[in-house]
Amino acid sequence: MSQEEQGKVESLLSELGKKIDQLIVEGKKKKDGLTDEIEEKIAELKGQKEKLEEEFESFKAKNEPKWIEVREHLEKAIGELRAAAEAAFKKMKG
């Protein structure tokens, strides 16, 4: 997983956390405070967010070594392809 992809997921999770916190703040501004139903929903959202974070961390831990290995193989294959293409162009010009 690239740093960019990882950053996007982390940003989305952070944004989700902020929205949950905003729900809590808005709920507390209400005259009667948070209703039981809203409190329940917020707790459920928090739990789902935490589960997503755990799954993402687990995915990163399991797949990062594979991604590094795949990336290294791809870089090697691209280098070999580039060298073969350059050799072919030299033959065509020569």
Side-chain angles (χ1 to χ4, degrees), residues 1-51:
M1 174 180 298
S2 72
Q3 290 292 342
E4 183 179 339
E5 292 166 330
Q6 182 176 333
K8 286 180 183 179
V9 173
E10 289 171 346
S11 177
L12 288 171
L13 289 171
S14 175
E15 185 178 326
L16 178 60
K18 288 176 185 175
K19 289 187 182 209
I20 292 171
D21 290 341
Q22 185 179 4
L23 280 173
I24 294 169
V25 169
E26 292 297 318
K28 288 182 180 180
K29 288 181 182 178
K30 301 273 185 195
K31 185 176 182 181
D32 298 329
L34 294 175
T35 65
D36 290 341
E37 185 179 339
I38 293 172
E39 285 180 359
E40 217 174 276
K41 192 59 150 172
I42 289 171
E44 183 181 320
L45 289 171
K46 280 185 171 183
Q48 290 174 349
K49 177 188 173 280
E50 289 170 2
K51 183 178 177 183

Side-chain angles (χ1 to χ4, degrees), residues 50-84:
E50 289 170 2
K51 183 178 177 183
L52 281 174
E53 287 175 330
E54 289 171 7
E55 288 175 1
F56 177 63
E57 290 301 319
S58 175
F59 174 83
K60 282 191 327 185
K62 289 178 185 174
N63 292 300
E64 191 64 26
K66 290 178 187 174
W67 170 247
I68 291 169
E69 184 180 323
V70 168
R71 186 179 64 212
E72 289 171 355
H73 288 296
L74 285 174
E75 288 172 353
K76 182 179 178 185
I78 289 169
E80 291 171 359
L81 184 58
R82 182 179 294 132

